[in-house]
Short mmCIF file of all heavy atoms in Angstrom, two decimals:
data_model
loop_
_atom_site.label_atom_id
_atom_site.label_comp_id
_atom_site.label_asym_id
_atom_site.label_seq_id
_atom_site.Cartn_x
_atom_site.Cartn_y
_atom_site.Cartn_z
N MET A 17 -24.46 59.95 -58.28
CA MET A 17 -24.51 60.26 -56.84
C MET A 17 -24.87 61.74 -56.66
O MET A 17 -24.33 62.61 -57.33
CB MET A 17 -23.14 59.99 -56.20
CG MET A 17 -23.10 60.19 -54.71
SD MET A 17 -21.51 59.67 -54.01
CE MET A 17 -21.83 60.02 -52.29
N ASN A 59 -24.80 85.16 -31.06
CA ASN A 59 -24.85 83.70 -31.01
C ASN A 59 -24.25 83.02 -32.23
O ASN A 59 -24.28 81.79 -32.33
CB ASN A 59 -26.29 83.23 -30.83
CG ASN A 59 -26.86 83.65 -29.50
OD1 ASN A 59 -26.14 83.77 -28.52
ND2 ASN A 59 -28.16 83.91 -29.45
N ILE A 141 -29.61 67.89 -43.39
CA ILE A 141 -30.94 68.23 -43.89
C ILE A 141 -30.87 69.66 -44.40
O ILE A 141 -30.48 70.56 -43.65
CB ILE A 141 -32.00 68.09 -42.78
CG1 ILE A 141 -32.05 66.65 -42.27
CG2 ILE A 141 -33.37 68.52 -43.30
CD1 ILE A 141 -32.94 66.49 -41.04
N TRP A 143 -32.44 72.76 -47.43
CA TRP A 143 -33.42 73.15 -48.43
C TRP A 143 -33.22 74.61 -48.81
O TRP A 143 -32.52 75.37 -48.13
CB TRP A 143 -34.84 72.94 -47.92
CG TRP A 143 -35.25 73.76 -46.74
CD1 TRP A 143 -35.65 75.07 -46.70
CD2 TRP A 143 -35.31 73.31 -45.37
NE1 TRP A 143 -35.95 75.46 -45.43
CE2 TRP A 143 -35.75 74.40 -44.59
CE3 TRP A 143 -35.04 72.09 -44.74
CZ2 TRP A 143 -35.93 74.31 -43.22
CZ3 TRP A 143 -35.21 72.00 -43.37
CH2 TRP A 143 -35.65 73.10 -42.63
#
Side-chain angles (χ1 to χ4, degrees):
M17 184 174 181
N59 295 329
I141 299 172
W143 64 79

